[in-house]
């Protein structure tokens, strides 16, 4: 039997999340499961009342069980009780004493909650001990650790709320070293990073060598999933940019006489609608809801960005250069460009593109040229509109990628970060505008090498991996 086959026959690894009440134990599990459905989270002591299990699997093969436990509330009474038992039965090992304690606890005993935790701890291979680093090393933690270390299980301390008190970590490490606990990890369950999640599994791996191969599988699988998730999110944003950049509203001489919405209005409505769809899709890709957007103070209400994409001042709000010619138009709320063969009408006329178009130009841009000559007009979203679309969807994407699945009311970032446009923005947009048939997804489009370049470069820019792209 090979090492990996041998490991597959091993029982599942049991990992319990323990700690003082209200430190974020349930939050940690939610974030690891990427689910807002697990357990109950509240900013109050004693929220979790029973041990609850969740399983992490690789392609339906379970790898480890995670157990959420009630918070330890009365560490002082627990410690005193165990000391008492130790004094009474000097010949018993610490583990025997703890077993004795959980076996004989009465249903309505004041330490019943603590007994549930200890019972679970005794069944575990590894303990994740969660600490709220905003708190000093109080006596309750010292007493808690005195009891937990009696079980002689490997302990990984998870520093939670780190974003709010990074200076406290060194002190906490010193205190924990006294208990021979040297394995610590910063894992803020609200400000998520996949790297921190990966390091958690790696730490378990070093502590429980027997499950090394299974845990490596889990690490690789979770990394793959995370990459796919981010890629899908970025791809969805690219689809939005493509659908708007390639979209054209046509105005014919006769349609101008109709009382319907003007092409400008139709274009605006189209852009608003597709942006809203993208927002909705991004939330579901990352298993979030509109409530999460609200909590994160992303400026969205009822599925719409609070600042309308065509509102005056939008460019400034997104840090765009309002001095540039294109931007001036959009700042005034135009957001429209007249297109001839991928150039704006003004530029095309200046270049003589209409009057002196050769056959190849005509073949490629014939529709636009014919439309222009016959008095019809194609109208497209202008560059500034596309820039705002890109920037705010990138902002949303980045926020969702960094958000843990723990309900939470405080906000870390509520202003636009310094998101920037991709280096080759103009080139990419001009390529899209010249290919209006890319407006809807198709196999031909997706296999087109030019389309693939545009898509890959935009995805890389959205994920801040521009330098990794080889053109
Ligand atoms: N700012 C911030 N808040 C957090 C973090 N983790 C958890 N919280 C909040 O802390 C509160 C408690 O979180 P829970 O996950 O319910 O804590 P618990 O340890 O399971 O609590 P009990 O079940 O009562 O022992 C909730 O309001 C969470 O939103 C974090 O990393 N940062
Ligand atoms: Mg809980």
């Amino acid at each position: 039997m090979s090492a990996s086959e041998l490991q597959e026959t091993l029982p599942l690894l049991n990992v319990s999340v323990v700690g003082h009440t209200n430190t974020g134990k349930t939050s940690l599990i939610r974030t690891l499961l990427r689910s807002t459905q697990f357990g109950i989270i509240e900013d109050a002591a004693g929220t979790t009342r029973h041990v609850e299990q969740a399983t992490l699997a690789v392609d339906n093969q379970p790898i480890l069980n995670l157990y959420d436990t009630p918070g330890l509330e009365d560490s002082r009474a627990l410690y005193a009780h165990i000391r008492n038992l130790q004094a009474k039965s000097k010949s018993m090992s610490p583990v025997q004493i703890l077993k004795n304690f959980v076996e004989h606890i009465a249903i309505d005993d004041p330490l019943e909650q603590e007994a549930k935790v200890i019972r679970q701890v005794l069944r575990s291979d590894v303990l994740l001990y969660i600490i709220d680093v905003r708190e000093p090393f109080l006596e309750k933690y010292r007493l808690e650790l005195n009891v937990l270390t009696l079980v002689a299980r490997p302990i990984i301390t998870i520093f939670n709320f780190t974003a709010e008190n990074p200076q406290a970590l060194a002190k906490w490490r010193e205190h924990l070293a006294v208990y021979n606990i040297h394995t610590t990890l910063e894992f803020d369950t609200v400000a998520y990073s996949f790297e921190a999640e990966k390091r958690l599994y790696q730490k378990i791996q070093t502590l429980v060598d027997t499950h090394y191969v299974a845990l490596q599988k889990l690490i690789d699988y979770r990394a793959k999933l995370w990459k796919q998730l981010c890629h899908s999110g970025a791809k969805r944003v690219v689809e939005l940019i493509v659908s708007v950049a390639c979209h054209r509203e046509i105005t014919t001489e006769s349609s101008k006489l109709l009382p319907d919405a003007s092409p400008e209005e139709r274009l605006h409505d189209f852009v608003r609608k597709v942006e809203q769809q993208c927002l909705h899709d991004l939330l579901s890709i990352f298993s979030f809801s509109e409530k999460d957007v609200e909590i994160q103070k992303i400026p969205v209400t009822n599925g719409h960005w609070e600042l309308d994409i065509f509102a005056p001042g939008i460019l400034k709000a997104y840090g765009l250069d309002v001095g540039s010619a294109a931007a001036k138009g959009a700042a005034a709320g135009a957001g429209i460009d007249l297109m001839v063969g991928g150039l704006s009408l003004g530029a095309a006329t200046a270049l003589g593109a209409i009057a002196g178009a050769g056959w190849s130009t005509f073949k490629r841009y014939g529709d636009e040229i014919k439309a222009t000559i016959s008095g019809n007009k194609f109208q497209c979203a202008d560059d500034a509109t596309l820039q705002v679309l890109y920037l705010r969807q990138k902002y949303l994407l980045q926020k969702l990628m960094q958000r843990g699945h723990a309900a939470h009311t405080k906000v870390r970032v509520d202003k636009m970060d310094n998101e920037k446009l991709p280096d080759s923005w103009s080139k990419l947009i001009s390529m899209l505008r010249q290919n209006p048939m890319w407006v809807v997804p198709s196999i031909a489009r997706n296999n087109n090498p030019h389309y693939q370049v545009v898509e890959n470069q935009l995805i890389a820019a959205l994920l801040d991996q521009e330098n990794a792209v080889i053109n």
Side-chain angles (χ1 to χ4, degrees), residues 80-90 97-98 100-101:
H81 187 74
I82 302 295
R83 284 293 296 238
N84 207 3
L85 290 178
Q86 279 179 316
K88 276 197 216 147
S89 3
K90 291 218 167 67
I97 295 212
L98 291 177
N100 224 6
F101 161 61

Side-chain angles (χ1 to χ4, degrees), residues 240-450:
L240 169 74
I241 302 297
V242 172
S243 67
V244 175
C246 296
H247 180 85
R248 295 173 179 204
E249 285 291 337
I250 185 161
T251 330
T252 59
E253 283 303 314
S254 51
S255 71
K256 281 184 197 155
L257 306 170
L258 296 173
D260 294 355
S262 70
E264 283 86 353
E265 280 163 349
R266 289 205 307 269
L267 185 63
H268 284 193
D269 286 347
F270 169 77
V271 175
R272 288 190 190 107
K273 194 178 97 214
V274 289
E275 192 189 26
Q276 193 186 337
Q277 271 164 3
C278 181
L279 184 98
H280 177 84
D281 291 349
L282 280 184
L283 287 175
S284 49
I285 288 172
F286 286 91
S287 316
F288 287 118
S289 66
E290 304 230 328
K291 204 174 102 232
D292 295 283
V293 167
E294 211 176 284
I295 290 168
Q296 193 76 17
K297 284 244 165 69
I298 293 171
V300 169
T301 317
N302 299 330
H304 293 274
W305 289 88
E306 273 160 19
L307 193 52
D308 182 72
I309 183 145
F310 298 107
I314 182 100
L315 298 172
K316 229 179 179 166
Y318 285 87
L320 290 168
D321 173 16
V322 277
S324 78
K328 271 184 196 147
I336 293 282
D337 208 357
L338 301 179
M339 296 292 299
V340 178
L343 295 170
S344 72
L345 184 62
T349 316
L351 291 171
I354 301 172
W359 173 241
S360 62
T361 319
F362 194 79
K363 217 165 70 183
R364 184 154 188 183
Y365 305 128
D367 281 352
E368 287 94 333
I369 294 172
K370 270 190 275 176
T372 310
I373 293 166
S374 65
N376 299 341
K377 282 175 188 160
F378 281 109
Q379 302 199 334
C380 310
D382 67 355
D383 194 40
T385 304
L386 290 166
Q387 291 185 18
V388 175
L389 270 182
Y390 172 89
L391 289 174
R392 55 186 187 175
Q393 293 297 331
K394 178 171 184 194
Y395 172 75
L396 174 68
L397 180 67
Q398 296 285 337
K399 288 288 148 275
L400 296 181
M401 282 164 54
Q402 293 157 15
R403 182 172 161 76
H405 283 69
H408 170 47
T409 47
K410 285 183 204 127
V411 182
R412 280 176 213 301
V413 189
D414 55 4
K415 62 172 176 45
M416 263 309 276
D417 296 340
N418 292 329
E419 301 296 3
K420 63 175 192 54
L421 294 167
D423 296 339
S424 46
W425 172 259
S426 307
K427 218 174 80 200
L428 299 174
I429 294 304
S430 138
M431 176 78 93
L432 290 175
R433 293 183 143 193
Q434 289 172 36
N435 290 282
M437 64 288 191
W438 287 350
V439 72
V440 276
S442 69
I443 295 172
R445 181 198 80 173
N446 296 347
N447 291 337
N448 181 314
H450 296 296

